[in-house]
Amino acid sequence: MELHEPELREVPVTAVLAALADDVRLQIVRALAEGGEYACGTFEFGVSKATRSHHLKVLREAGLTRTRVAGTSRYVRLRRDELDRLYPGLLHAVLAAPDRVA
């Protein structure tokens, strides 16, 4: 099964920023930034499985993540090197920003 993963340079910066503008997606990006590849089912942010899948799809289609399919499992990782190369400082700023208070 092949998933749509655009080349990051083909994704408008507004799509990247919009993907990062959601609290749950930002939590996912922060978790992925710790390094490595994570099984999609390991993210528990107080949302349903369908909502989690939606957020992972938005991140993937915005060029922020890569997803590898292995059998019935999916593994996701941050496209950190590509992001840093195309948008220097963006990921660092997003990760360094304090959590928003409601």
Side-chain angles (χ1 to χ4, degrees):
M1 173 181 209
E2 200 136 326
L3 301 172
H4 174 65
E5 292 183 335
E7 291 299 321
L8 188 55
R9 67 181 175 277
E10 296 171 0
V11 178
V13 69
T14 52
V16 174
L17 295 173
L20 293 169
D22 180 89
D23 288 334
V24 172
R25 290 192 292 268
L26 190 54
Q27 288 179 57
I28 293 170
V29 168
R30 286 182 170 155
L32 291 172
E34 293 178 10
E37 185 177 68
Y38 295 85
C40 292
T42 61
F43 296 105
E44 294 295 332
F45 297 112
V47 297
S48 69
K49 181 179 176 182
T51 300
R52 180 182 61 221
S53 293
H54 167 74
H55 286 304
L56 290 168
K57 178 182 176 187
V58 170
L59 290 170
R60 186 181 70 246
E61 291 181 348
L64 291 161
T65 62
R66 287 249 186 241
T67 303
R68 178 176 62 86
V69 178
T72 59
S73 298
R74 292 181 184 203
Y75 299 90
V76 64
R77 67 178 173 83
L78 192 61
R79 294 169 71 174
R80 181 176 226 135
D81 291 341
E82 294 172 75
L83 286 162
D84 287 342
R85 191 169 39 255
L86 195 56
Y87 304 116
L90 174 65
L91 195 56
H92 176 75
V94 167
L95 296 173
D99 288 334
R100 287 187 266 174
V101 178

